[in-house]
Amino acid sequence: IETPAALNEAITTGCEWFDAAFNVDQPGVTPSSVILFTAKPGCGKSTLGRQLADGITENGNIALYNAGEESVFQVRKTCTRLNFNSGFIISCDKMIDDVLNHARQQMAKHPGKRLFLILDSLATLDDGFYKSGHINSATAVRVIEKIVAFCKETFAIAIVIGHVNKKGEFAGKQAVKHAIDAHCHMSFMNASTRRIFKFTKNRFGQLSLKGTVL
């Protein structure tokens, strides 16, 4: 069996602790990875997603940030407040096919660069299965399957922000977690503002259940 050369790469995001969390020996994310990212409310899922997008651009790759929960103007205000200046591509698509078509267009425009697809969030995406526009937990499974197929075909990297329940656990079907390559979770450390970032699944690197303290 010949392993594709891309799977021996580690693509850095510009966020050192994030890259090291995926693999200490070779910091960065393996191409084709689909990452589910969850966090306790208020931990900063969207902020981290935008920080990564800005760093990915600064590192010379492509970041397509799909904002399903906020307008482009709200995202712009946040990026200005946080002094992000490298920039990234933003979209507000609801249909997953539109998101993936947009991603393909950007890859065609920028050959030789690795594409990161940051989806904020999984719960806002639809695959058009129901003509009424209704979505449910099964919709998320079909959407994630399309994302996985896209990433395995193109070696793009997807970071998918997911919602949690009151216990802080992923609020969705286990089929989603079975389909993805890595699941990382961020929570507050005790009653402080410090955060713990850890993995419960990581097919391409070490599994850090102990977590990284931020």
Side-chain angles (χ1 to χ4, degrees), residues 76-133:
R76 172 65 175 174
K77 286 190 67 174
T78 301
C79 292
T80 301
R81 175 173 57 82
L82 296 172
N83 295 317
F84 294 161
N85 50 30
S86 297
F88 52 86
I89 303 159
I90 187 169
S91 61
C92 291
D93 294 316
K94 296 292 184 182
M95 305 302 292
I96 187 58
D97 287 346
D98 292 336
V99 174
L100 299 181
N101 286 336
H102 193 177
R104 290 183 187 279
Q105 291 169 8
Q106 293 301 322
M107 294 178 76
K109 287 181 180 179
H110 304 280
K113 293 187 177 184
R114 194 66 65 190
L115 180 130
F116 282 75
L117 182 59
I118 302 174
L119 301 166
D120 188 7
S121 64
L122 178 60
T124 65
L125 294 170
D126 188 6
D127 68 334
F129 185 82
Y130 300 108
K131 292 182 180 180
S132 64

Side-chain angles (χ1 to χ4, degrees), residues 3-4 16 23 29 59 74 89 97-98 126 145-146 164 170 172 175 181:
T3 303
E16 292 185 3
N23 196 328
V29 187
N59 271 13
Q74 289 171 308
I89 303 159
D97 287 346
D98 292 336
D126 188 6
E145 287 174 347
K146 287 197 170 193
V164 297
F170 172 59
D181 298 298

Side-chain angles (χ1 to χ4, degrees), residues 3 7-9 13 39 46-47 81 83 127 150-151 157 160 165 167 204:
T3 303
L7 296 185
N8 294 320
E9 299 176 16
T13 64
S46 296
T47 299
R81 175 173 57 82
N83 295 317
D127 68 334
F150 168 77
C151 290
I157 295 166
V160 185
N165 58 26
K167 294 181 179 180
F204 290 120

Side-chain angles (χ1 to χ4, degrees), residues 21-38:
F22 274 87
N23 196 328
V24 173
D25 298 328
Q26 190 181 18
V29 187
T30 302
S32 82
S33 293
V34 178
I35 303 151
L36 176 65
F37 173 40
T38 57

Side-chain angles (χ1 to χ4, degrees), residues 172-187:
K173 289 183 175 291
Q174 286 299 306
V176 171
K177 296 180 71 173
H178 289 315
I180 50 99
D181 298 298
H183 176 210
C184 48
H185 183 77
M186 189 162 63
S187 59

